[in-house]
Amino acid sequence: DAKTTQPPSMDCAEGRAANLPCNHSTISGNEYVYWYRQIHSQGPQYIIHGLKNNETNEMASLIITEDRKSSTLTLPHATLRDTAVYYCIVRVQTGFQKLVFGTGTRLLVSP
Amino acid sequence: DAGVTQSPTHLIKTRGQQVTLRCSPISGHKSVSWYQQVLGQGPQFIFQYYEKEERGRGNFPDRFSARQFPNYSSELNVHALLLGDSALYLCASTLEGQSSSPLHFGNGTRLTVT
């Protein structure tokens, strides 16, 4: 079972920031938080990951709370092409690589 | 640079038949994983291979098998197809077997079993 909880859907106006929350209250100390998104008919696309510090790249920012029980992915200026299902995943960095996907958040960006 | 490529993109099979799906990882990536995504759900882990050896297996029956070749490409085989095997099959590659490197996914093979 997925170890994360996300809202099933969210709406965002084009050009505004999209803030996608994720709860992972049972996260272990050695587990990272990963975010992927899946645009219709495509494979999942890696966005960002972090352990406990805030992270930023060209696509998004990731803020992880101090207790690490929740995180927020921010798309600073959402575009119509950001419409997708966003998955929050916790994963250990050791052992074999296995991503456990939940049902994600369906983000709809509207004009 | 080419990403993860999968073939074929679409496939229709009859119940009871077998199918082989193919995956070429990103150049330099030595680990390949396979996922099954049923409509309306997130992907589910099937296998991981690293350096031609199976590193992990998900909760799938023995009808599912895979292998990795010396050039790190991979095949997923499914025997005795059931209607419930209809899904998008995704391949992902990464540099090493155990690392923080993220998985990079292909766009999948959509299998329909009739």
Side-chain angles (χ1 to χ4, degrees):
Chain A
D1 289 343
K3 298 179 66 174
T4 61
T5 304
Q6 300 176 254
S9 63
M10 293 183 65
D11 294 324
C12 180
E14 188 178 20
R16 304 296 294 269
N19 298 298
L20 291 87
C22 178
N23 287 322
H24 30 79
S25 58
T26 60
I27 193 170
S28 302
N30 62 346
E31 288 182 315
Y32 283 66
V33 179
Y34 281 75
W35 283 83
Y36 282 79
R37 72 180 183 184
Q38 189 171 23
I39 296 170
H40 183 61
S41 297
Q42 297 182 20
Q45 177 189 22
Y46 166 78
I47 302 173
I48 198 167
H49 74 283
L51 182 63
K52 54 185 175 182
N53 297 320
N54 297 338
E55 303 287 344
T56 298
N57 62 21
E58 65 278 4
M59 288 182 67
S61 297
L62 173 62
I63 297 175
I64 302 172
T65 58
E66 192 169 343
D67 63 8
R68 303 208 327 120
K69 293 185 177 182
S70 65
S71 61
T72 300
L73 178 77
T74 298
L75 309 178
H77 306 287
T79 71
L80 300 180
R81 289 178 297 179
D82 291 323
T83 292
V85 178
Y86 287 77
Y87 296 99
C88 169
I89 300 164
V90 296
R91 172 164 91 91
V92 294
Q93 297 294 55
T94 58
F96 69 91
Q97 294 166 328
K98 172 184 175 182
L99 299 180
V100 179
F101 288 81
T103 51
T105 295
R106 185 172 299 277
L107 175 69
L108 176 63
V109 181
S110 302
Chain B
D1 286 344
V4 176
T5 57
Q6 294 186 243
S7 63
T9 55
H10 296 81
L11 201 52
I12 299 174
K13 289 287 189 178
T14 303
R15 192 170 43 184
Q17 288 186 315
Q18 74 169 49
V19 68
T20 298
L21 310 180
R22 295 177 175 81
C23 171
S24 293
I26 292 172
S27 177
H29 285 194
K30 298 181 178 180
S31 176
V32 169
S33 300
W34 287 94
Y35 287 76
Q36 180 197 64
Q37 186 173 25
V38 174
L39 197 62
Q41 298 182 18
Q44 277 195 289
F45 173 77
I46 310 176
F47 287 111
Q48 185 207 355
Y49 276 78
Y50 175 64
E51 291 280 13
K52 296 171 288 181
E53 303 226 343
E54 182 181 304
R55 280 294 186 88
R57 182 184 183 113
N59 188 23
F60 280 81
D62 292 343
R63 300 185 295 107
F64 289 77
S65 63
R67 55 179 175 169
Q68 186 177 32
F69 299 99
N71 66 353
Y72 304 111
S73 67
S74 177
E75 285 183 352
L76 175 70
N77 297 285
V78 187
H79 295 265
L81 285 167
L82 303 174
L83 296 179
D85 294 331
S86 295
L88 180 67
Y89 289 85
L90 295 159
C91 175
S93 73
T94 191
L95 274 171
E96 300 175 7
Q98 304 177 26
S99 73
S100 63
S101 299
L103 274 65
H104 297 272
F105 286 83
N107 285 329
T109 293
R110 183 161 298 282
L111 173 64
T112 301
V113 182
T114 62

